[in-house]
Amino acid sequence: AQSVTQLGSHVSVSEGALVLLRCNYSSSVPPYLFWYVQYPNQGLQLLLKYTTGATLVKGINGFEAEFKKSETSFHLTKPSAHMSDAAEYFCAVTGATGRRALTFGSGTRLQVQP
Amino acid sequence: ETGVTQSPTHLIKTRGQQVTLRCSSQSGHNTVSWYQQALGQGPQFIFQYYREEENGRGNFPPRFSGLQFPNYSSELNVNALELDDSALYLCASSLRTGEDSPLHFGNGTRLTVT
C-alpha cells in the first residue's frame, strides 16, 4: 500500500522568497515520486520526477526536490518565488507493483504575495 | 504535438442518469488512465487501459467502466449517477505502462450531478 501526506494545505510566501512544499510518503516497495502543478481550470502538469539514481531532482520552472529515503520525504523547493508560481501542487507516489497508478496527496495551494 | 484533449469540458446530469466522457490521447501514447478529482482533493485513480484492455483498477464500483479504441482514444462511462460523483474527471496518457512513465493530463471534464 502507498500513501502521500502533504503538510500544509495552504502556503503563502512573498515574491522572491524561498518556496518549500512538504511531502512525505509511505510505500512498501521502492517508490517513484512525482510533483505535479495544477493551475485553475486546468489539468495537471508534471514538474519533476524521481525514479532511480540521483536523489536531487531538477524540474521545470526552477523547481527541485530531494528524495530522502531515511526521512521518507520528497519536499519541493524553489529559491525565489514568482507570482506565476501561484497554483495547487500535488505530490504523488507509485512503485514497481505491476499496476500503473499514482497515489496523490491532497495538495498544497501556494499563494505568492507581491 | 497534440496534447490530451477531453470532451465535454462541463456537464450537468441528474441523479440516476448515465454519462459518457471522452478522451483523445497524446500522439504516440498507447496507455490511458482516468482519475476522479473531488473538490479540494487530490486525484484518485479509477482505471488504466493499455492496448484496449483494462490494466489496473482503483477502488471504484463496477458502474464506472471504460473503453479504449484502436486509435488509443478512450471513454469513461458512469451508470446510475450519484451526487458524490460530482467531480473533475481527468484523463491522462503515457508512452507505456511502466511506473516511471510520466502521465500527461488533459484539462478534465467537470461533472455536476444534481
Side-chain angles (χ1 to χ4, degrees):
Chain A
Q2 297 162 320
S3 66
V4 173
T5 301
Q6 291 186 239
L7 294 175
S9 58
H10 289 81
V11 170
S12 182
V13 300
S14 299
E15 192 173 19
L18 171 72
V19 175
L20 171 61
L21 305 182
R22 299 179 186 274
C23 171
N24 288 88
Y25 70 90
S26 171
S27 178
S28 56
V29 297
Y32 298 153
L33 295 155
F34 304 79
W35 275 99
Y36 282 86
V37 60
Q38 186 175 36
Y39 298 99
N41 301 314
Q42 292 188 23
L44 281 73
Q45 180 184 7
L46 179 67
L47 279 177
L48 49 80
K49 67 173 183 176
Y50 168 79
T51 53
T52 58
T55 56
L56 182 62
V57 181
K58 294 186 184 299
I60 63 171
N61 301 338
F63 285 94
E64 62 182 36
E66 186 172 11
F67 170 61
K68 292 187 177 181
K69 184 178 178 180
S70 61
E71 299 178 7
T72 60
S73 69
F74 190 58
H75 302 331
L76 182 70
T77 61
K78 182 174 180 178
S80 177
H82 191 272
M83 296 296 289
S84 62
D85 295 327
E88 187 93 22
Y89 291 79
F90 293 94
C91 181
V93 64
T94 187
T97 60
R99 188 175 73 119
R100 178 75 166 91
L102 288 177
T103 299
F104 285 86
S106 55
T108 297
R109 181 164 299 278
L110 176 66
Q111 286 184 308
V112 182
Q113 308 289 345
Chain B
E1 178 179 85
T2 304
V4 177
T5 58
Q6 293 186 242
S7 62
T9 55
H10 294 83
L11 202 54
I12 299 175
K13 289 287 189 178
T14 303
R15 189 172 51 184
Q17 286 187 315
Q18 177 266 343
V19 69
T20 297
L21 310 182
R22 294 178 173 84
C23 172
S24 293
S25 300
Q26 185 163 325
S27 178
H29 287 188
N30 59 18
T31 302
V32 65
S33 305
W34 286 90
Y35 287 77
Q36 180 195 65
Q37 186 179 16
L39 200 61
Q41 302 293 320
Q44 287 198 315
F45 175 71
I46 303 176
F47 44 56
Q48 179 191 8
Y49 279 81
Y50 171 66
R51 292 185 175 179
E52 303 175 53
E53 297 283 335
E54 188 178 290
N55 187 39
R57 188 177 184 92
N59 189 27
F60 281 81
R63 59 189 185 85
F64 285 78
S65 63
L67 283 173
Q68 187 183 29
F69 300 100
N71 65 355
Y72 303 134
S73 65
S74 176
E75 287 182 355
L76 165 65
N77 299 288
V78 187
N79 294 322
L81 283 167
E82 301 176 0
L83 296 179
D84 285 349
D85 296 333
S86 295
L88 181 68
Y89 287 85
L90 295 165
C91 171
S93 69
S94 56
L95 272 174
R96 58 186 184 276
T97 59
E99 282 85 359
D100 61 337
S101 181
L103 298 179
H104 297 257
F105 284 85
N107 287 340
T109 293
R110 173 77 60 189
L111 173 64
T112 302
V113 182
T114 62

